Amino acid sequence: MKQLYKLLLLLAVLLLPFGAMADTFTVDKLKYETTGATTVKVTGHVDGNSASGSLTIPSSVNYSGKTYSVTSIGERAFAGCSGFTGSLTIPNSVTSI
């Protein structure tokens, strides 16, 4: 019984990093990555270099039945998006860029 306990404990320790992996998803043409249980960062636009017009980042997004607060914009999230010609709206929920 003691051996089984040790084996299960070892397995749990080995699988721990996989549980901490960030989820990625897309909502309304913006790409997101989870940064916590209820927070996400914007990581890009699905249209990449061809993205155009104005951009509004929402303060929260719903995905898979869960609401996430948008708290940051990732490094180089919109690098190469030269087609944005209008305004950029960033909500107060974003605390880091």
Side-chain angles (χ1 to χ4, degrees), residues 32 40 56-61 67-71 90-94:
Y32 298 93
V40 292
T56 298
I57 296 173
S59 59
S60 64
V61 291
T67 300
Y68 295 92
S69 179
V70 180
T71 58
I90 301 173
N92 290 337
S93 63
V94 172

Side-chain angles (χ1 to χ4, degrees), residues 1 3 7 11 13 21 24 26-27 30 33 38-39 55 74 84 88:
M1 187 68 171
Q3 291 290 9
L7 180 62
L11 184 60
V13 169
M21 290 175 46
T24 59
T26 301
V27 174
L30 288 178
E33 180 179 300
T38 59
T39 59
L55 177 63
F84 288 127
L88 170 63

Side-chain angles (χ1 to χ4, degrees), residues 62-83:
N62 294 311
Y63 178 74
S64 200
K66 192 170 185 178
T67 300
Y68 295 92
S69 179
V70 180
T71 58
S72 61
I73 299 172
E75 186 176 326
R76 302 186 53 78
F78 302 109
C81 291
S82 59

Side-chain angles (χ1 to χ4, degrees), residues 6-37:
K6 286 181 180 180
L7 180 62
L8 289 174
L9 183 61
L10 176 62
L11 184 60
V13 169
L14 291 174
L15 293 176
L16 186 61
F18 293 105
M21 290 175 46
D23 287 330
T24 59
F25 57 88
T26 301
V27 174
D28 295 330
K29 292 194 170 193
L30 288 178
K31 297 178 188 178
Y32 298 93
E33 180 179 300
T34 57
T35 56

